[in-house]
């Protein structure tokens, strides 16, 4: 067992949390959208730019070699963080969106023909919907959808029928709207039994729960650094080495080649084959520092803390507002993460979020890039509070007090 998180100490690591908004303490409850950054990540990137910066994989001079080593060390750290079999199985991309698109443009365009089936679910983020719509429009692939239960979990009763003849299951590990955690090992087993490849959108999962891509037995896993204390502009696609090796390159240009001639080119080895052009170097260093930061906290402690804060939040919202407030998502914290979506009877989510801002509370309002899910829920938007390592029960209390004010404000 790792020690429980010391939130007072952790907050001190995040400079932005010292500031005020409208004269109030900043209460940041939008980490499902993007997390804040701790000093060690800011310092690592600063140090890279100040002392070790040059382009990577090219220069034979000292600082270029240092920059290359730091970039590759970032890759090693990320690989270990998700228990990849080999470091080369981590491809650096801009974000989870690019990771999923990489699979859609390379693996899928090589392997899927008209009539082939891709299985998705009703709770997917647009990043794991639109690339497949684009491929459907281009190639005539068929999209099938795993529906939801009334309890906001995947309804797996017809899973075998949906997977029959499928070539790919592309599925989120944790919903950014409902918080629902999907049973990836079970889904992977079922998909593989039908001969389908499995892509996991782990953008919401990796920052919050210890992740073992080998235990999942998936084929591709995509996630973003900026949701896990790291910088924007970098993310990772983990892929099974044999699959990455067989896949054609994604973008063409410098770095991704072994040789270029007038009559063609030879791609580089995995993962450089997929890393065309100058990569986000300081960001890879920051990503590695973010992984170090989370490892030092201990991912089991991170998960336990978020379960505790989420349970407290759900309990307080239900107790204070009863039927006036609807929570969209499971209430059992064993099957959900820390994104809590809700709506007040008769009040638009954007109006709530504006009143909350006056109280220094940042929550997200909108469709959360999950419009197909919003349609299933029958609402245009929700408010969403999401918790991370720097939030605790005092933040929930500020949220509830601010919601009381908002409710009074909108009372007719
Ligand atoms: C479940 C899920 N998938 C994918 C994404 C896309 O992440 P990014 O914008 O970092 O590519 C998000 C971002 O909110 C997400 O929550």
């Amino acid at each position: 067992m790792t020690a429980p998180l010391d939130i007072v100490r952790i907050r001190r690591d995040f400079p932005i949390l010292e500031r005020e908004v409208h004269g109030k303490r900043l209460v940041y409850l939008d980490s499902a959208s993007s997390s804040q950054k701790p000093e060690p990540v800011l310092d690592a990137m600063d140090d890279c730019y100040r002392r070790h910066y040059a382009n990577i994989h090219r220069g034979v001079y000292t600082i270029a070699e240092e920059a290359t080593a730091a970039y590759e060390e970032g890759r090693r750290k990320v690989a270990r963080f998700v228990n990849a079999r080999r470091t080369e199985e981590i491809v650096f991309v801009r974000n989870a969106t690019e990771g999923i698109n990489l699979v859609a443009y390379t693996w899928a365009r090589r392997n899927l023909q008209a009539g082939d089936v891709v299985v998705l679910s009703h709770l997917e983020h647009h990043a794991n919907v639109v690339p497949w719509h684009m491929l459907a429009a281009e190639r005539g692939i068929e999209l099938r959808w795993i529906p939801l239960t009334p309890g906001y979990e995947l309804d797996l009763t017809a899973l075998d029928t949906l997977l029959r003849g499928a070539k790919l299951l592309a599925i989120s590990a944790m919903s950014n709207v409902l918080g629902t955690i999907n049973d990836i090992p079970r889904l992977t087993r079922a998909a593989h039994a039908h001969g389908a490849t499995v892509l996991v959108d782990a953008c919401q999962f990796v920052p919050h729960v210890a992740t073992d891509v080998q235990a999942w037995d998936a084929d591709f896993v995509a996630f973003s650094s900026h949701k896990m204390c790291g910088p924007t502009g970098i993310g990772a696609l983990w892929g099974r080495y044999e699959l990455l090796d067989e896949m054609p390159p994604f973008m063409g240009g410098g770095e991704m080649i072994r040789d270029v001639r007038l009559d063609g080119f030879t791609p580089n080895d995995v993962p450089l084959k997929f890393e065309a052009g100058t990569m986000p170097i300081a960001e890879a260093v920051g990503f590695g520092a973010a992984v170090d930061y989370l490892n030092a906290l201990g991912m089991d402690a991170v998960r336990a803390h978020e379960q505790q804060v989420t349970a407290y939040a759900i309990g307080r919202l239900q107790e204070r507002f009863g039927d006036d407030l609807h929570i969209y998502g499971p209430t059992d914290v064993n099957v959900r993460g820390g994104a809590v979506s809700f709506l007040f009877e008769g009040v638009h989510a954007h109006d709530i979020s504006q009143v909350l801002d006056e109280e220094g509370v940042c929550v997200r309002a909108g469709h959360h890039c999950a419009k197909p899910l919003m349609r299933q829920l029958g609402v245009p938007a929700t408010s969403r509070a999401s918790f991370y390592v720097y939030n605790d029960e005092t933040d929930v209390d500020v949220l509830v007090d601010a919601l009381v004010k908002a409710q009074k404000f909108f009372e007719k």
Side-chain angles (χ1 to χ4, degrees):
M1 260 307 273
T2 34
L5 299 190
D6 178 349
I7 304 306
V8 174
R9 190 189 60 71
I10 290 173
R11 273 196 190 139
R12 277 192 227 119
D13 292 336
F14 291 79
I16 201 168
L17 298 180
E18 283 162 21
R19 67 163 287 181
E20 295 190 339
V21 177
H22 305 300
K24 307 273 167 59
R25 173 170 81 85
L26 176 67
V27 174
Y28 187 74
L29 301 179
D30 195 19
S31 298
S33 180
S34 199
S35 75
Q36 297 299 346
K37 319 301 173 199
E39 295 273 12
V41 169
L42 303 175
D43 289 348
M45 294 178 72
D46 189 64
D47 184 59
C48 172
Y49 278 126
R50 285 178 193 278
R51 295 184 44 80
H52 309 287
Y53 183 75
N55 213 330
I56 51 170
H57 298 138
R58 295 176 200 172
V60 286
Y61 48 89
T62 302
I63 59 168
E65 282 170 359
E66 286 174 6
T68 303
Y71 177 84
E72 290 301 334
E73 183 58 20
R75 194 194 308 277
R76 258 189 299 281
K77 287 175 180 175
V78 174
R80 274 200 298 270
F81 192 63
V82 296
N83 197 30
R85 214 169 285 112
R86 301 171 59 162
T87 300
E88 298 91 323
E89 291 181 328
I90 294 293
V91 178
F92 279 140
V93 286
R94 260 191 320 138
N95 44 38
T97 301
E98 189 172 289
I100 295 166
N101 274 275
L102 193 159
V103 176
Y105 277 92
T106 61
W107 179 89
R109 277 169 173 78
R110 160 95 26 120
N111 290 292
L112 302 187
Q113 313 302 330
D116 282 344
V117 172
V118 173
V119 177
L120 307 162
S121 86
H122 279 171
L123 56 65
E124 300 308 313
H125 186 280
H126 294 165
N128 195 32
V129 175
V130 181
W132 309 114
H133 275 318
M134 288 163 73
L135 192 60
E138 182 188 311
R139 284 262 160 110
I141 59 164
E142 180 194 340
L143 304 185
R144 290 185 192 154
W145 304 88
I146 303 174
L148 296 179
T149 66
Y152 305 103
E153 295 188 67
L154 291 187
D155 180 351
L156 300 180
T157 43
L159 184 63
D160 276 317
T161 314
L162 288 167
L163 285 171
R164 202 161 294 145
K167 289 272 174 67
L168 178 71
L169 170 67
I171 193 92
S172 165
M174 189 194 288
S175 164
N176 63 316
V177 179
L178 309 171
T180 310
I181 293 177
N182 295 327
D183 185 348
I184 297 298
R186 175 175 174 195
L187 288 160
T188 303
R189 267 195 310 278
H192 284 166
H194 286 273
T197 297
V198 177
L199 162 65
V200 181
D201 171 1
C203 206
Q204 293 292 338
F205 191 93
V206 172
H208 304 281
V209 191
T211 305
D212 182 337
V213 294
Q214 295 189 57
W216 272 355
D217 199 29
D219 300 295
F220 299 106
V221 176
F223 50 103
S224 290
S225 146
H226 70 93
K227 292 190 200 280
M228 49 191 285
C229 297
T232 54
I234 192 159
L237 174 71
W238 168 84
R240 229 178 250 286
Y241 188 87
E242 313 78 73
L243 284 178
L244 294 174
D245 198 37
E246 282 167 11
M247 280 154 53
F250 180 29
M251 286 185 279
E255 290 291 295
M256 50 70 69
I257 48 85
R258 177 168 293 285
D259 189 23
V260 187
R261 303 165 303 276
L262 291 181
D263 65 351
F265 75 99
T266 313
N268 212 330
D269 295 334
V270 170
L272 300 185
K273 172 168 82 170
F274 300 108
E275 297 181 2
T278 299
M279 292 297 285
I281 300 162
E283 286 76 4
V285 173
F287 196 178
V291 161
D292 287 343
Y293 186 80
L294 291 173
N295 277 333
L297 299 181
M299 288 308 291
D300 289 342
V302 169
R303 170 70 178 139
H305 174 74
E306 287 180 24
Q307 283 180 297
Q308 182 187 313
V309 177
T310 307
Y312 181 76
I314 290 173
R316 281 231 54 203
L317 290 171
Q318 286 177 329
E319 157 217 87
R320 184 65 186 73
F321 302 107
D323 291 343
D324 290 347
L325 179 140
H326 187 84
I327 293 175
Y328 294 87
T331 48
D332 175 2
V333 292
N334 291 308
V335 295
R336 60 137 47 245
V340 181
S341 281
F342 57 90
L343 268 186
F344 268 109
E345 193 67 48
V347 186
H348 197 280
H350 282 106
D351 295 336
I352 291 285
S353 139
Q354 261 166 22
V355 176
L356 261 52
D357 179 53
E358 293 294 318
E359 301 300 316
V361 179
C362 312
V363 298
R364 190 75 160 187
H367 54 66
H368 315 293
C369 298
K371 283 195 150 196
L373 172 60
M374 290 292 147
R375 291 200 163 86
Q376 296 301 317
L377 300 178
V379 293
T382 67
S383 300
R384 181 189 68 191
S386 53
F387 306 106
Y388 205 18
V389 294
Y390 33 71
N391 299 120
D392 65 5
E393 286 82 351
T394 62
D395 293 338
V396 174
D397 291 341
V398 175
L399 168 72
V400 171
D401 290 348
L403 285 171
V404 169
K405 283 196 181 158
Q407 195 185 30
K408 289 212 177 96
F409 185 82
F410 291 110
E411 245 168 21
K412 299 180 190 83

